[in-house]
Amino acid sequence: LVTTTGATLCGVLAAKLAYVLLMADTTLAAYGADALWFTDADSFSVFGGAAGAVLSACVTAKLLGMRPAAMLDRFIPSLALGLTFLRLSEGELGTLGVGAYVEPGGLWARFPFAVGNAYGEYYLAVFALEALFALLCAVALWRRGREWSAGLKAEIGLFLLALPQIFCESLRARCMKWGFVRVEQLLCCLLLLGLLGHACNRAREWRRLRFLPLALGVLAVGGIGGLEYAMDKTDLPIWACYGLFWVMLGLLAGAEIAAVRQREGASAVTQTAEVVG
């Protein structure tokens, strides 16, 4: 009860604060401190909210005399389920969670692939895809990883939440942006690199090459940035860009599996590969 209450309050506050600070040129510069009180649905950062909830869970663990790693192992699966419902709720918020236009009458012009409006126009239901990924993450964490070392379930859970969100952010028609840079996509990439760096830093094997997975992760993130630029600024086929996009995501997943193997051993990597897969 204490954890959930604290995570909810801190999550909402962090979601608003993160949005205002990250989009300061259109919030603080235009409205000053009043921007903190705007309640428009698109004036919150989901990444910031999730980060605030995780931070609150860590603080709560200290208050309750628990190890933060043990608390996060319990909390992250529930966070994934919460994100499932949060994403589904975007279906009631107009065009906030949709993507590109879909031709009416086709196979994809129906839920859960697309949603329509009062004018008979259909748009990709990106929010439904995000909810599906979050739900799969929650189910995978609850079913697997019970024998993992403390903190590993939380680490893999955060990785599984951030990895597909990189792709989903690319599909969104409305998102936080700096030019062609999608802000929450960038934050997810940085989170993945941070998790990779953490795993590599604690490696037990391959000491001389222990940061190789991190290097591969940096290469993949650079590739994703290049693809986002190509889709926004060039005439390269979208299908080709997204094909390479998934190659980069696969490289990130492989790097995480390798990093966990260095740290935890072969038995852990088998379980990790099954969950990530």
Side-chain angles (χ1 to χ4, degrees), residues 47-68:
F47 184 96
V54 170
L55 179 60
S56 174
C58 292
V59 173
T60 302
K62 293 290 187 180
L63 295 176
L64 298 178
M66 293 179 61
R67 292 180 59 194

Side-chain angles (χ1 to χ4, degrees), residues 25-273:
D25 57 332
T26 58
T27 56
L28 293 176
Y31 305 103
D34 290 340
L36 293 169
W37 306 106
F38 293 163
T39 58
D40 296 344
D42 60 353
S43 66
F44 294 84
S45 165
V46 175
F47 184 96
V54 170
L55 179 60
S56 174
C58 292
V59 173
T60 302
K62 293 290 187 180
L63 295 176
L64 298 178
M66 293 179 61
R67 292 180 59 194
M71 172 65 81
L72 291 180
D73 281 344
R74 300 184 182 191
F75 179 74
I76 296 301
S78 298
L79 175 66
L81 185 61
L83 286 172
T84 301
F85 290 106
L86 179 66
R87 289 304 189 184
L88 286 175
S89 72
E90 289 184 347
E92 303 298 324
L93 297 175
T95 60
L96 179 61
V98 304
Y101 175 77
V102 177
E103 290 292 339
L107 174 64
W108 304 106
R110 64 193 69 190
F111 191 81
F113 308 112
V115 290
N117 58 23
Y119 303 100
E121 300 170 329
Y122 287 86
Y123 297 89
L124 284 177
V126 180
F127 66 89
L129 183 62
E130 291 169 320
L132 175 62
F133 281 132
L135 179 60
L136 290 175
C137 175
V139 172
L141 293 176
W142 273 321
R143 293 192 60 185
R144 307 303 300 263
R146 295 180 180 179
E147 299 180 359
W148 290 350
S149 61
L152 184 56
K153 181 187 289 188
E155 180 181 334
I156 297 300
L158 291 173
F159 193 93
L160 291 177
L161 287 174
L163 185 67
Q165 189 58 36
I166 294 173
F167 171 69
C168 292
E169 285 293 328
S170 183
L171 296 178
R172 280 179 164 258
R174 295 171 58 187
C175 66
M176 299 165 60
K177 296 184 74 172
W178 299 331
F180 74 91
V181 177
R182 296 172 182 265
V183 178
E184 296 206 298
Q185 182 184 68
L186 174 62
L187 293 175
C188 286
C189 288
L190 293 177
L191 173 60
L192 295 186
L193 292 180
L195 293 171
L196 280 170
H198 172 70
C200 292
N201 188 54
R202 299 178 60 189
R204 298 175 182 175
E205 302 178 11
W206 311 349
R207 299 296 294 183
R208 294 183 179 180
L209 298 175
R210 60 175 176 164
F211 287 105
L212 179 59
L214 178 59
L216 293 176
V218 172
L219 178 64
V221 168
I224 289 171
L227 290 169
E228 284 291 344
Y229 177 84
M231 286 187 283
D232 188 72
K233 302 294 185 181
T234 71
D235 296 325
L236 288 177
I238 295 297
W239 62 266
C241 289
Y242 277 125
L244 292 173
F245 206 105
W246 277 101
V247 171
M248 297 298 105
L249 294 180
L251 183 58
L252 279 167
E256 174 67 6
I257 292 171
V260 171
R261 181 173 187 174
Q262 287 186 102
R263 191 182 71 192
E264 303 290 334
S267 60
V269 75
T270 302
Q271 295 177 333
T272 305

